[in-house]
């Protein structure tokens, strides 16, 4: 391995005990704000990987301790850390991502699992992109996707990360999914994963930061049957009004990534005149919701709608 430099991030592997009930999402949120990827629970410990751009990780460790102290009641003396290389990360990823029955029709397995090609099995290769069943928002989205994707649908996945939701939708029968992702290395992981699952012709990975403006253009140009967006609150909340207008009347929208405390803001921005709720759930403090788009009355043209 080449020596660490300020340009190539090294990785810090951090382990902590699970926080008391009700503080799980606060811890995960604090770790994400510090750049954590791939947060998992292994036996009685939480394990997270943090990119460390400084060869000396002590400053990051100090920031981590301060963030954990500020957001949870965990004792910071219980935090353990070590430096880890990319190849060790790949090995740890393969160990952490265990075969998981994500929904009635879909099982997620790491790429080193052997077995014949099977549309009920979604294979994931090691990467630091967000998007494995280890996160409750991804798990909730996978489960709800199974209930709403119809064969032949045209879908949009905003913030595809590892590509997991877009690939799941393709395996569940969707005809075409535009999968948007702002982060280049996550796009590379999504492209690897779609090849691994033989859905290259149906999952289009688009490297782009989605904005309200780009969503407006998209809804004008295409008929969209369904939309998934599992995004951090800071990314989701500004997009929510435009996301709500994307699916065709009768189409669906699946949103996730918001801690329970942010729900009132989310509901306010969503525009209850456009959508009917189908179901919602909160897992470990993280909310996920599914809606269907209301039929638009011909007497109420789009342009006349408030806020459009
Ligand atoms: C919480 S992860 C979700 C990954 C995956 N869809 C899942 O459900 O596990 C959110 C992803 O959205 C990406 N992202 C955030 N804001 C975005 C935006 N405005 N446009 C495109 N991608 C965005 C992030 O880089 C990250 O990979």
């Amino acid at each position: 391995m080449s020596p660490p430099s300020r340009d190539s991030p090294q990785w810090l592997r951090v382990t902590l005990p699970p926080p008391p009930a009700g503080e799980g999402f606060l811890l995960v949120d604090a770790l994400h704000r510090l750049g954590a990827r791939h947060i998992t629970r292994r036996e009685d410990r939480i394990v997270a990987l943090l990119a460390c751009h400084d060869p000396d990780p002590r400053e990051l460790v100090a920031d981590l301790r301060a963030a954990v102290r500020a957001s949870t009641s965990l004792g910071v003396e219980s935090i353990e850390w070590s430096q880890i290389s990319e190849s060790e990360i790949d090995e740890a990823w393969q160990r952490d991502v265990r075969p998981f029955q994500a929904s009635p029709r879909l099982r997620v397995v790491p790429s080193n699992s052997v077995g014949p090609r099977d549309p009920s099995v979604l294979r994931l290769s090691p990467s630091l992109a967000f998007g494995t069943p280890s996160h409750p928002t991804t798990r909730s989205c996978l489960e709800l996707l199974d209930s709403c994707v119809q064969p032949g649908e045209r879908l949009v996945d905003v913030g595809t990360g590892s590509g997991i939701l877009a690939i799941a939708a393709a395996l569940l029968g969707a005809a075409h999914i535009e999968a948007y992702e702002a982060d280049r290395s996550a796009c590379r992981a999504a492209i690897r994963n779609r090849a691994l699952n033989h859905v290259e012709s149906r999952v289009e990975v688009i490297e782009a930061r989605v904005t309200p403006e780009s969503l407006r253009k998209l809804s004008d140009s295409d008929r969209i049957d369904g939309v998934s967006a599992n995004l951090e609150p800071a990314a989701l909340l500004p997009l929510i009004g435009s996301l709500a207008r994307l699916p065709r009347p009768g189409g669906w929208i699946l949103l996730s990534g918001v801690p329970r405390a942010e729900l009132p803001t989310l509901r306010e921005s969503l525009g209850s005149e456009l959508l009917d709720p189908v179901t919602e759930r909160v897992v470990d403090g993280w909310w996920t919701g599914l809606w269907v788009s209301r039929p638009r009355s011909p007497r109420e043209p789009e342009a006349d709608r408030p806020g459009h």
Side-chain angles (χ1 to χ4, degrees), residues 130-132 137-138 141 157-165 180-183 186 208-211 230-232 235 239:
F130 191 112
T132 70
T137 58
T138 310
C141 285
D157 181 34
V158 180
T160 204
S162 66
I164 187 166
L165 302 184
Y180 291 89
E181 172 55 53
D183 179 87
R209 179 164 296 280
V210 167
T211 62
N230 177 10
L231 297 169
E232 304 79 3
L239 297 179

Side-chain angles (χ1 to χ4, degrees), residues 42-287:
R42 280 177 69 78
E43 284 125 32
D44 60 342
R45 305 287 283 173
I46 305 286
V47 183
L49 292 170
L50 277 70
C52 181
H53 295 272
D54 196 313
D56 180 351
R58 280 174 298 185
E59 198 176 319
L60 180 59
V61 172
D63 289 348
L64 171 73
R65 292 206 160 111
V68 170
R69 192 182 292 116
S71 33
T72 72
S73 54
L74 279 177
V76 291
E77 62 289 344
S78 56
I79 298 175
E80 290 166 9
W81 61 272
S82 59
Q83 284 178 288
I84 181 167
S85 69
E86 296 267 353
S87 60
E88 288 169 315
I89 288 176
D90 281 4
E91 285 161 25
W93 188 100
Q94 295 276 13
R95 275 199 310 276
D96 282 351
V97 178
R98 307 228 172 95
F100 178 75
Q101 191 68 39
S103 73
R105 287 188 287 161
L106 269 188
R107 186 169 168 78
V108 180
V109 305
S111 56
N112 64 355
S113 293
V114 286
R117 183 171 163 179
D118 176 350
S120 70
V121 173
L122 191 164
R123 293 180 184 279
L124 281 182
S125 63
S127 81
L128 289 166
F130 191 112
T132 70
S134 60
H135 198 275
T137 58
T138 310
R139 283 202 302 276
S140 296
C141 285
L142 286 169
E143 206 182 322
L144 292 179
L145 269 183
D146 197 334
S147 68
C148 63
V149 174
Q150 298 295 320
E153 283 188 331
R154 299 186 67 80
L155 311 177
V156 170
D157 181 34
V158 180
T160 204
S162 66
I164 187 166
L165 302 184
I167 295 166
L171 294 174
L172 291 166
H176 186 84
I177 305 103
E178 287 183 27
Y180 291 89
E181 172 55 53
D183 179 87
R184 179 160 297 179
S185 59
C187 284
R188 282 199 289 265
I191 289 168
R192 256 198 325 275
N193 285 326
R194 82 178 170 181
L196 204 56
N197 290 282
H198 311 283
V199 290
E200 295 97 317
S201 60
R202 285 185 289 143
V203 176
E204 187 182 353
V205 177
I206 302 164
E207 184 184 334
R209 179 164 296 280
V210 167
T211 62
E213 186 57 21
S214 62
L215 290 175
R216 260 194 295 279
K217 285 193 189 135
L218 195 59
S219 57
D220 288 345
S221 63
D222 271 334
R223 178 191 157 98
I224 296 164
D225 298 304
V227 176
S228 53
N230 177 10
L231 297 169
E232 304 79 3
L236 180 62
L237 293 174
L239 297 179
I240 208 143
S242 322
L243 284 168
R245 289 181 163 78
L246 268 192
R248 63 168 168 81
W252 53 267
I253 179 162
L254 174 63
L255 299 174
S256 188
V258 174
R260 193 202 303 255
E262 305 268 4
L263 270 185
T265 322
L266 178 130
R267 289 215 174 93
E268 210 174 289
S269 325
L270 202 52
S272 54
E273 77 279 8
L274 294 175
L275 302 167
D276 284 321
V278 178
T279 185
E280 58 184 327
R281 60 195 53 179
V282 177
V283 179
D284 294 345
W286 295 94
W287 169 92

